[in-house]
Amino acid sequence: MLRIRRIYDDVLPINKEILSQVKEILRSRFTAVSEEEIESIGEKLRNPFKQRFRTILYVAEKLGGRVLGFALLLHEPEIGFTYLDWIAMATGRSGGGIGGALYEKVRQESAILKVKGLFFECLPDEENFCPDPGLLKENRARLRFYEQYGARPLVNTSYEMSVNPGDTCMPHLVYDGLGQDAPLKRSFARKVVQAILERKYSGLCPPDYVKKVISSFVDDPVQIRKFRYIKPEVAHAEVESRAYEQVALVVNDRHDIHHVHERGYVESPVRIRSILNKLEKSGLFAHMKPQQFPDQHIQQVHAPDFVNYLKRACRDVPEGKSLFPYVFPIRNKTRPPKEPSVLSGYYCIDTFTPINQNAYPAARRGVDCALTATREVLNGRRIAYALVRPPGHHAERRSFGGFCYFNNNAIAAQYLSGYGKVAILDIDYHHGNGQQDIFYRRSDVLTVSIHGHPRFAYPYFSGFEEEKGDGEGEGFNLNIPLPEKVNGEKYRKALERAITRIEQFNPTFLVVALGLDPAKDDPTGTWSLQAKDFEKNGQLIGALGLPIVVIQEGGYRTRTLGLNAMNFFNGLIKAAQEWASRKQRPKNKIHGLTFRQDISYEDIERVRKLVEITGFFTGAEIDVAVELVQERLEKGDSSGYYFVMAEHYGRLIGYTCYGPIPCTESSYDIYWIAVHPDYQGRGVGRQILKETEHKIKTGGGLRAYVDTSQRVQYASTRAFYERCGYLMESLLPDFYAQGDGKVIYSKQLVRK
Ligand SMILES: [Zn+2]
């Protein structure tokens, strides 16, 4: 089976392995690509904006992880285009539909990002530009392939002009309008070309070459080559399956067999129908059939004896009967009780979660739904929703209860954790004790829950603020218990706190345990959230810009369930779309940024975390960053190290370390500058640097020096210094390593 999957980073072993295969394909298929560029792919994935392009990698892989092909797409949100950097198949596997599938994925992605066009280069298919007959044949096949989508080279420009005399076979720039039928405006095309030549080919194209190419774009609109291989009417320019933008919706098709008729059993089948009725009308969701997944996914989060018990006990209860526990033996692993009704209490936490013939199959199908939604997100979908019951978040590693049997959100998170860090955000009215218990000792899955305080709300025994995780997991569980009366505004304060913690954690994926019981008049809750509040909550969560698996938990006021769910998704989808197409540097300045110079012992860890989270420094470099803080603490001014710490509402989001250069009269070195990834591209670096220069001047400094590497990865760093008024003073070739020189910048500080 072939699947196309998005790769989010190069940190986890599974992704490392995939990436090494991608690099191997690049090496074997494109011999002209430098090793440095090949090696920089991982870095680009981790630091999407380092080269002022956001990098998106899709791989086509066979079961077992063999990569058959990949596509590397660059997104330029400010100008609004995507650039297909590479699309390549493993050797000997050209075609076979894989290239087509990958290209369609790239078009879908571009459509979601709402760009004005997709661009890429293609070697020429004209004999006079490409003398090699074999290559010519290949190039023709390629351009014919793209013509099917309406994508053709730009003409009547000098894009193909050689950089060095004697260069042959210069590529065309191909434009895919993604079926939008809009003319290609000259001003837009010029910006696109400038960005490609300056960033993608930085160091290869001299400035006057770039200028010449740009000024050769005279036609407005820019002309696209006539169809050469197929009839225009045969081309299929619309983006396949715009449905891809929709939320994948997986509904438990076997939920209604689980129907407990006891009085007051609010967890009933009508809940799903009320939600579904609203969602289906919106057109924002695409139904997906639940797929079957092996038990192994469940056993990774639940104890095997517990899983077996549920399966067996549900099977053994007479049809139509329900077994409710009423005795709760203290758990004794060596001697579980024999009597079925007592045994149920051995695994259960309360008296209202029955064992019966339908509970197991319904819950088991719910797990399949959660995993189907999760896999969809792993494949690159932004948002997937498992609309399931019975719910899951009260099910712990070895116990069930609170209407829950298997912990769907923990099973989803466990699956995702193989591909990146995961945060679970539980916004049900009741504490998410299940996933807290399951991940309590782990630091790769952050569990956050906002809920009614256990002193008055179910499950009563957990959800206290002091439960913070244990061992390696210490600090990776956050409980935000709230009082009995909470309105939308008060709730959002708590949600903002939860989101700040998630941002700090910087996960690859987010699982939302969606409870709708914070709603006004919910029979199990005491809060008063209205439909509009759910929309705002959705917005706050969507603005995180993470791939999200939403899993249905509680919510029992059937009259408003659908409306509240719809409002939540409206907010979530809108904010997620805004995030996807948001400008690299939003106009809005960061408010509330404060600076300080004094250092405390807490800063040692804070600086370490900050420098680590940027993902830009090696272990040794991180150690150096921390040592500078320690030295400052020990020796004060005589250490020669001074700091400017930038904080946003008490959180360290960036800093510089600088100091006077010994044996100079008034020259200062800026040793270190780091900005938290969430705040990059928002003018924070510039503000910190400005503050630092101000402090240097106050200390009597007249010149500031800063140095960086010559390598491609540092192009944006160099551009940053230049924008801040720094001039390149010198280049020390091969300083750091062969081919990796040191660039020294300086700025004359004017005393006022
Ligand atoms: Zn609940």
Side-chain angles (χ1 to χ4, degrees):
M1 204 182 81
L2 176 87
R3 71 161 175 170
I4 294 182
R5 186 159 76 81
R6 181 163 171 187
I7 307 296
Y8 289 92
D9 65 37
D10 68 331
V11 180
L12 287 155
I14 189 165
N15 290 347
K16 272 204 172 102
E17 170 50 33
I18 295 283
L19 214 63
S20 75
Q21 293 187 54
V22 164
K23 289 175 185 171
E24 209 35 61
I25 295 176
L26 262 181
R27 277 186 202 107
S28 63
R29 304 286 289 169
F30 301 93
T31 42
V33 186
S34 75
E35 198 52 30
E36 185 183 51
E37 184 164 1
I38 292 174
E39 282 305 325
S40 70
I41 294 179
E43 161 79 29
K44 285 184 200 162
L45 288 175
R46 247 178 298 137
N47 281 311
F49 278 128
K50 276 294 166 201
Q51 284 200 298
R52 295 159 71 201
F53 281 122
R54 189 186 286 157
T55 307
I56 299 161
L57 175 63
Y58 276 109
V59 298
E61 61 176 358
K62 250 168 77 160
L63 223 61
R66 186 161 143 54
V67 178
L68 302 180
F70 73 91
L72 191 75
L73 185 70
L74 307 180
H75 174 216
E76 210 305 345
E78 242 171 293
I79 303 167
F81 73 96
T82 45
Y83 180 80
L84 179 57
D85 205 359
W86 308 106
I87 181 162
M89 309 308 124
T91 325
R93 285 183 189 273
S94 60
I98 299 168
L102 277 167
Y103 188 64
E104 274 167 29
K105 197 78 166 182
V106 160
R107 299 184 90 224
Q108 287 169 352
E109 182 74 44
S110 303
I112 289 172
L113 295 169
K114 305 225 181 312
V115 297
K116 295 183 207 123
L118 162 66
F119 295 83
F120 51 94
E121 289 184 339
C122 240
L123 292 179
D125 52 353
E126 294 93 351
E127 243 166 292
N128 49 335
F129 294 130
C130 179
D132 176 343
L135 192 58
L136 189 66
K137 205 175 147 204
E138 257 182 55
N139 298 350
R140 284 181 175 160
R142 208 167 284 144
L143 280 157
R144 168 195 293 275
F145 166 78
Y146 291 120
E147 267 195 11
Q148 300 169 58
Y149 299 95
R152 287 158 291 143
L154 307 185
V155 289
N156 207 20
T157 78
S158 305
Y159 192 84
E160 294 83 355
M161 183 172 69
S162 52
V163 183
N164 305 305
D167 284 347
T168 56
C169 227
M170 295 297 288
H172 290 305
L173 185 62
V174 181
Y175 165 68
D176 184 335
L178 304 166
Q180 295 168 115
D181 276 341
L184 177 58
K185 282 203 188 124
R186 180 180 62 197
S187 56
F188 167 67
R190 282 182 167 182
K191 282 186 205 157
V192 169
V193 169
Q194 183 171 10
I196 294 171
L197 297 181
E198 285 183 354
R199 300 184 207 170
K200 158 90 182 134
Y201 294 115
S202 67
L204 292 176
C205 300
D208 51 320
Y209 172 87
V210 178
K211 215 182 244 169
K212 258 190 222 159
V213 174
I214 293 170
S215 57
S216 76
F217 281 67
V218 179
D219 301 335
D220 196 11
V222 177
Q223 292 182 53
I224 316 292
R225 194 169 87 178
K226 297 226 163 9
F227 281 87
R228 186 170 278 183
Y229 301 103
I230 64 167
K231 291 203 182 94
E233 56 271 24
V234 190
H236 188 76
E238 293 92 77
V239 176
E240 259 325 309
S241 171
R242 286 247 176 197
Y244 192 72
E245 260 184 284
Q246 296 173 308
V247 173
L249 173 64
V250 193
V251 183
N252 187 351
D253 48 356
R254 293 185 198 153
H255 76 90
D256 48 3
I257 57 171
H258 179 61
H259 194 174
V260 180
H261 293 279
E262 267 76 5
R263 263 176 75 90
Y265 197 86
V266 290
E267 203 288 282
S268 60
V270 65
R271 297 176 58 235
I272 298 266
R273 283 196 293 276
S274 342
I275 295 177
L276 209 50
N277 283 344
K278 278 281 179 204
L279 301 192
E280 279 176 335
K281 282 181 210 144
S282 72
L284 294 169
F285 296 81
H287 271 284
M288 296 197 58
K289 240 177 93 74
Q291 308 293 311
Q292 282 183 18
F293 286 80
D295 277 351
Q296 168 202 336
H297 286 278
I298 301 177
Q299 282 158 357
Q300 283 169 357
V301 310
H302 290 294
D305 66 309
F306 166 78
V307 179
N308 292 336
Y309 166 73
L310 270 186
K311 199 181 211 167
R312 216 179 40 238
C314 289
R315 193 191 55 208
D316 293 348
V317 177
E319 206 185 320
K321 289 266 183 289
S322 276
L323 179 66
F324 285 90
Y326 61 96
V327 175
F328 299 88
I330 292 169
R331 287 173 176 75
N332 177 342
K333 209 170 177 345
T334 54
R335 232 186 291 167
K338 285 243 154 49
E339 166 62 33
S341 62
V342 183
L343 186 60
S344 70
Y346 178 77
Y347 285 110
C348 192
I349 57 174
D350 57 41
T351 56
F352 47 85
T353 313
I355 291 286
N356 60 42
Q357 284 211 347
N358 293 326
Y360 177 82
R364 183 64 183 78
R365 189 65 166 173
V367 169
D368 280 336
C369 294
L371 287 168
T372 304
T374 305
R375 185 155 69 193
E376 192 60 15
V377 164
L378 277 176
N379 291 354
R381 173 100 59 170
R382 293 296 189 285
I383 306 172
Y385 175 32
L387 177 51
V388 294
R389 57 172 291 277
H393 73 144
H394 294 306
E396 300 190 347
R397 180 168 289 280
R398 271 181 101 239
S399 60
F400 67 104
F403 311 138
C404 305
Y405 300 88
F406 292 129
N407 195 316
N408 297 314
N409 73 66
I411 292 168
Q414 172 65 31
Y415 186 22
L416 290 168
S417 73
Y419 301 89
K421 286 199 294 181
V422 189
I424 302 175
L425 174 60
D426 190 320
I427 51 173
D428 190 280
Y429 173 84
H430 306 95
H431 176 229
N433 59 295
Q435 62 270 15
Q436 167 173 315
D437 170 68
I438 288 163
F439 298 112
Y440 208 59
R441 295 178 149 271
R442 280 171 60 170
S443 60
D444 62 329
V445 178
L446 172 76
T447 43
V448 180
S449 178
I450 305 168
H451 47 263
H453 198 286
R455 99 179 148 251
F456 62 84
Y458 185 87
Y460 308 106
F461 55 78
S462 71
F464 298 93
E465 189 137 19
E466 54 265 39
E467 296 157 10
K468 292 187 168 155
D470 201 11
E472 201 194 308
E474 194 178 340
F476 294 91
N477 181 68
L478 172 64
N479 284 333
I480 308 181
L482 299 179
E484 269 184 271
K485 295 273 168 271
V486 168
N487 60 15
E489 204 185 323
K490 195 157 184 177
Y491 188 87
R492 276 193 293 285
K493 290 248 158 55
L495 185 57
E496 277 164 10
R497 208 184 129 200
I499 282 170
T500 303
R501 178 66 190 100
I502 293 169
E503 281 180 330
Q504 285 169 348
F505 180 65
N506 193 23
T508 308
F509 305 102
L510 178 67
V511 174
V512 175
L514 174 64
L516 296 165
D517 39 13
K520 191 172 184 306
D521 298 329
D522 187 279
T524 69
T526 58
W527 296 344
S528 55
L529 270 65
Q530 315 261 11
K532 276 282 154 216
D533 297 317
F534 283 96
E535 184 178 356
K536 285 177 186 159
N537 293 348
Q539 271 173 350
L540 283 174
I541 296 168
L544 277 164
L546 293 166
I548 303 177
V549 183
V550 181
I551 302 207
Q552 186 61 46
E553 297 292 350
Y556 306 96
R557 188 174 187 255
T558 46
R559 268 178 57 195
T560 49
L561 268 182
L563 183 69
N564 291 342
M566 194 58 243
N567 269 274
F568 175 79
F569 279 103
N570 276 336
L572 189 74
I573 295 165
K574 202 170 141 226
Q577 279 171 353
E578 277 169 12
W579 186 90
S581 54
R582 100 175 153 194
K583 303 275 181 275
Q584 189 180 341
R585 269 182 288 280
K587 294 272 182 297
N588 58 326
K589 251 178 69 181
I590 308 258
H591 293 284
L593 197 66
T594 55
F595 297 104
R596 64 176 164 89
Q597 282 217 277
D598 49 315
I599 302 286
S600 70
Y601 278 92
E602 282 84 64
D603 286 322
I604 296 176
E605 267 320 293
R606 297 172 80 200
V607 163
R608 177 186 293 282
K609 284 210 174 115
L610 175 70
V611 176
E612 265 172 12
I613 207 169
T614 62
F616 203 54
F617 302 103
T618 64
E621 285 170 329
I622 293 168
D623 288 342
V624 171
V626 172
E627 277 161 27
L628 299 183
V629 182
Q630 282 165 331
E631 196 144 335
R632 169 79 213 181
L633 281 166
E634 279 160 26
K635 299 187 184 153
D637 281 357
S638 66
S639 68
Y641 299 126
Y642 294 80
F643 286 81
V644 169
M645 312 293 267
E647 289 183 326
H648 195 226
Y649 297 107
R651 173 184 176 200
L652 182 69
I653 60 157
Y655 82 100
T656 55
C657 173
Y658 68 95
I661 303 174
C663 311
T664 67
E665 211 166 70
S666 51
S667 296
Y668 276 66
D669 235 336
I670 297 171
Y671 300 109
W672 210 278
I673 177 161
V675 176
H676 191 288
D678 296 343
Y679 290 84
Q680 284 174 13
R682 295 167 75 180
V684 172
R686 187 187 278 260
Q687 285 189 67
I688 298 176
L689 199 57
K690 214 169 144 192
E691 178 69 14
T692 307
E693 288 164 7
H694 175 71
K695 294 294 175 206
I696 290 175
K697 278 192 283 186
T698 318
L702 284 174
R703 291 180 78 83
Y705 289 86
V706 61
D707 47 56
T708 185
S709 157
Q710 185 193 7
R711 281 156 63 200
V712 178
Q713 288 98 306
Y714 290 84
S716 63
T717 310
R718 295 193 298 268
F720 167 71
Y721 292 134
E722 282 162 21
R723 280 200 305 278
C724 292
Y726 284 72
L727 296 173
M728 188 174 137
E729 290 282 355
S730 73
L731 165 70
L732 313 181
D734 304 325
F735 182 87
Y736 297 107
Q738 189 66 36
D740 181 8
K742 170 157 140 175
V743 189
I744 301 174
Y745 284 93
S746 85
K747 183 173 178 177
Q748 182 81 46
L749 305 177
V750 185
R751 213 175 261 157
K752 279 187 189 135

